[in-house]
């Protein structure tokens, strides 16, 4: 696959390609009706691209793909408050996944994905408590934890399948 | 299957167990803490400070409250967001809440509504 290469141009192309893919996924997900009545519960399918980048690429490229998507999706959606939640969740999620990525690879990538999803919801919840100013909204946490485990496993298993289909070690 | 793959496969089980246990605890938490209150009230917070507290008993006819960012419908024993200014209107889709501790959060509007039980009523039952 012509996806390898470590020149500056190859990296820029790769980052741009993955960011575009993530933006499309996040846009399509945004068109779907909310899954549940509880706010903040969604599949987060665009995070599959971030997970792929974290699993297969260097830290800098992974950070670029992850944060560029969050920032651009925030600009396209044009909602400042939602953007704060996305960025808070995204930053915590990225930090946790980068810390744990050496421990959970291959057939265990879905575990990394679940930890990322849990971290994402924790970061979002922290921002929500700060903005709404009420600790009681932490009662949403149990629902968010269950959702993170389901959504995280799903996106994680998806990325595992993609990586094994593309061929291990031949991707980047 | 290579030895590494086999080892990886086995090493998933602790995490499967961990996530299943966490989900079970969360499900229990969601089911509990919903004890029916006596004489409930709805506390409405906007931007973190108490905006209004309305009784949910003796409501003979439903009425609406204009909030910055939405409209709240108050009925006997229940509240619901009738309209919200945010695009996704998740709080409207949530519908009516009735139980003590149940809450509606409208993140874009910074609105937080929680149903609280009347202390005296609870004492009347437990005492």
């Amino acid at each position: 696959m012509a996806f390898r290469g470590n020149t500056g141009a190859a990296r820029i192309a790769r980052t741009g390609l993955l960011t575009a893919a993530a933006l499309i996924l996040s846009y399509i997900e945004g068109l779907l009706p909310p899954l549940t009545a509880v706010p903040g519960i969604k599949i987060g399918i665009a995070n599959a691209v971030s997970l792929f980048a974290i699993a297969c690429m260097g830290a800098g490229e992974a950070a670029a793909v992850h944060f560029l998507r969050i920032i651009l999706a925030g600009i396209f959606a044009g909602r400042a408050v939602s953007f704060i939640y996305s960025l808070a969740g995204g930053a915590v999620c990225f930090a946790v996944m980068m810390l744990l990525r050496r421990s959970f690879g291959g057939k265990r990538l879905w575990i990394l994905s679940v930890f990322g999803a849990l971290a994402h919801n924790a970061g979002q919840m922290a921002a929500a408590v700060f903005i709404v100013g009420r600790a009681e909204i932490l009662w949403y946490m149990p629902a968010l934890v269950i959702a993170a485990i389901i959504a995280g496993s799903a996106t994680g298993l998806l990325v595992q399948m993609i990586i094994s289909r593309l061929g291990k070690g031949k991707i980047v | 299957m290579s030895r590494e793959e086999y080892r990886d496969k086995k090493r998933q089980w602790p995490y499967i167990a961990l996530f299943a246990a966490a989900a079970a605890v969360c499900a229990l938490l969601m089911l509990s803490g919903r004890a029916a209150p006596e004489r409930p009230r709805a506390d409405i917070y906007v931007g973190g400070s108490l905006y209004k507290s309305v009784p949910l008993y003796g409501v003979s006819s439903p009425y609406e409250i204009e909030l910055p960012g939405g409209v709240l419908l108050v009925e006997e024993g229940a509240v619901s967001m009738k309209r919200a200014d945010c695009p996704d209107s998740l709080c409207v889709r949530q519908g009516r809440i009735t139980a003590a501790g149940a809450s509606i959060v409208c993140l874009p509007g910074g609105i937080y509504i929680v149903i609280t039980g009347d202390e005296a009523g609870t004492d009347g039952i437990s005492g």
Side-chain angles (χ1 to χ4, degrees), chain A residues 34 108 110 132 134 136 140, chain B residues 11-12 45 48 103 105 112:
Chain A
R108 304 202 312 155
W110 69 272
V132 180
R134 303 287 308 173
E136 282 89 340
Y140 276 124
Chain B
R11 282 166 66 212
Q12 294 183 89
Y45 295 86
S103 56
V105 177
Y112 170 71

Side-chain angles (χ1 to χ4, degrees), chain B:
Chain B
M1 194 187 295
S2 74
R3 182 178 286 179
E4 284 80 30
E5 275 177 8
Y6 179 70
R7 189 200 61 195
D8 271 6
K9 209 158 194 169
K10 272 185 87 171
R11 282 166 66 212
Q12 294 183 89
W13 285 107
Y15 293 94
I16 294 172
L18 174 73
F19 295 144
V25 168
C26 288
L28 284 176
L29 272 175
M30 283 169 74
L31 292 175
S32 70
R34 297 274 161 113
E38 290 290 295
R39 299 172 79 76
R41 299 182 71 83
D43 290 347
I44 304 157
Y45 295 86
V46 177
S49 51
L50 188 63
Y51 180 81
K52 207 166 189 177
S53 175
V54 292
L56 296 183
Y57 49 91
V59 184
S60 50
S61 60
Y63 62 96
E64 293 171 6
I65 300 175
E66 276 284 342
L67 299 174
V71 176
L72 184 74
L73 179 67
V74 182
E75 297 163 88
E76 176 72 30
V79 286
S80 53
M81 284 299 284
K82 195 172 182 196
R83 185 176 63 74
D85 296 341
C86 55
D88 55 8
S89 297
L90 284 167
C91 48
V92 178
R93 294 175 61 94
Q94 188 176 351
R96 300 156 84 231
I97 56 166
T98 56
S103 56
I104 297 174
V105 177
C106 178
L107 289 181
I111 300 169
Y112 170 71
I113 300 147
V114 63
I115 297 186
T116 56
D118 189 284
E119 288 297 325
T122 313
D123 284 356
I125 291 171
S126 58

